[in-house]
């Protein structure tokens, strides 16, 4: 294969956890990705501005991926600031990387369900493929009509040799963890060491993030 394949895993990563890392590994293995870029949002128009500062989420993401040579962190959305729209990120990445590499947007099934609400979602597939995996509690059936329409037009069994344009599915063993549940546990004073990379848990404790008394 001569065309490089670059996986893109966007998220709030508030905080980054073992589910995100397992997702990136599963996508890399299933889709033969050369690299996976983790892209923390600046702030999410879907989730509001109430979360942890981007600098902390970026720092935790860096710590989480530091030991894997095939993983990188891309600051593109934090640098751009403002509301994060994936279409803007893809256009900017194409400017940086050119038209040759395949870009593969990696999504959990919760995000696929929302896809029809994303800004200029019809244009995403002009710039990237979309690779989706089933996430526990988020069925892949009965999807909203705009998403079904995209699947009808772009669904494929496997990634074609093209830079963009296909929607494919891949399988990963379920990792039942969500950042929302982690934040709630941390606020209750729990120490979920099995769900977070050790360096991330250490960062959270040193910076007193997610504590009930920290106001977040
Ligand atoms: P929250 O609970 O705050 O919504 P999250 O971890 O679901 O947090 P993000 O950090 O925005 O949300 O997730 C980034 C991407 O990782 C999304 O595509 C999401 O579907 C996927 N993802 C998150 N957790 C898991 C998991 N446990 N297994 C598979 N995919 C996951």
């Amino acid at each position: 294969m001569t065309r490089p394949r670059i996986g893109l895993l966007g998220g709030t990563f508030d905080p980054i956890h073992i589910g995100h890392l397992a997702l990136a590994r599963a996508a890399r293995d299933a889709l033969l990705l050369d690299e996976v870029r983790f892209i923390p949002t600046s702030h999410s128009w879907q989730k509001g501005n109430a979360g942890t500062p981007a600098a902390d989420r970026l720092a935790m993401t860096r710590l989480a991926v530091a030991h894997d040579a095939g993983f990188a962190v891309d600051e593109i959305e934090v640098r751009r600031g403002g509301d994060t729209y994936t279409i803007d990120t893809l256009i900017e990445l194409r400017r940086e990387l050119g038209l040759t590499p395949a870009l593969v947007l990696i999504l959990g099934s919760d995000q696929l369900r929302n896809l029809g609400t994303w800004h200029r979602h019809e244009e995403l597939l002009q710039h990237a493929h979309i690779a989706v995996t089933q996430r526990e509690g988020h069925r892949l059936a009965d999807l909203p009509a705009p998403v079904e329409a995209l699947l009808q037009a772009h669904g494929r069994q496997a990634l074609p040799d093209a830079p963009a344009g296909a929607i494919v599915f891949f399988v990963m063993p379920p990792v039942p963890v969500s950042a929302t549940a982690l934040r709630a546990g941390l606020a209750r004073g729990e120490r979920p060491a099995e769900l977070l990379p050790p360096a991330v848990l250490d960062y959270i404790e040193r910076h007193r993030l997610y504590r009930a008394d920290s106001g977040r």
Side-chain angles (χ1 to χ4, degrees):
M1 189 174 61
T2 52
R3 187 190 300 285
R5 286 184 175 172
I6 303 177
L8 308 173
L9 177 50
T12 38
F13 302 131
D14 189 13
I16 189 163
H17 53 65
I18 59 163
H20 298 127
L21 295 170
L23 173 63
R25 280 190 208 107
R28 175 169 63 189
D29 294 349
L31 307 168
L32 306 178
L33 304 176
D34 296 287
E35 171 191 346
V36 178
R37 293 191 183 194
F38 288 68
I39 308 182
T41 54
S42 168
H43 46 73
S44 167
W45 57 274
Q46 288 175 317
K47 296 188 181 178
N49 288 338
T52 307
D56 288 320
R57 291 183 292 106
L58 198 52
M60 290 189 279
T61 308
R62 285 195 194 296
L63 290 169
V65 309
H67 301 296
D68 194 317
F71 289 171
V73 180
D74 195 324
E75 290 186 26
I76 186 167
E77 294 190 350
V78 173
R79 235 183 3 245
R80 194 165 70 238
D83 283 338
T84 294
Y85 295 118
T86 302
I87 186 68
D88 297 334
T89 303
L90 293 180
I91 290 170
E92 208 175 324
L93 282 173
R94 276 291 172 210
R95 259 187 239 126
E96 174 194 332
L97 299 167
L99 296 177
T100 303
L103 298 183
V104 184
L105 201 56
I106 302 167
L107 299 183
S109 47
D110 53 321
Q111 297 282 24
L112 177 70
R113 185 167 289 283
N114 283 337
L115 196 64
T117 69
W118 289 19
H119 185 54
R120 293 163 61 188
H121 64 271
E122 315 82 357
E123 294 171 49
L124 296 169
L125 287 156
Q126 294 170 18
H127 306 283
H129 302 293
I130 296 179
V132 184
T133 195
Q134 170 87 48
R135 191 172 167 191
E136 250 194 6
H138 299 275
R139 294 178 341 118
L140 279 166
D142 300 325
L143 294 165
V147 181
E148 283 293 355
L150 279 177
L151 282 175
Q152 285 294 327
H154 298 277
R156 299 285 181 275
Q157 291 296 323
L159 277 185
D161 179 19
I167 303 178
V168 295
F169 291 88
F170 65 97
V171 177
M172 73 176 269
V175 182
V177 50
S178 82
T180 305
L182 272 173
R183 288 194 299 275
L186 287 160
R188 287 192 298 269
E190 290 168 13
R191 198 170 186 283
E194 66 293 355
L195 302 178
L196 293 165
V200 172
L201 183 57
D202 181 56
Y203 185 97
I204 289 170
E205 290 179 342
R206 274 189 294 117
H207 293 262
R208 303 170 66 87
L209 301 180
Y210 309 116
R211 294 169 60 117
D213 57 10
S214 73
R216 282 203 280 269

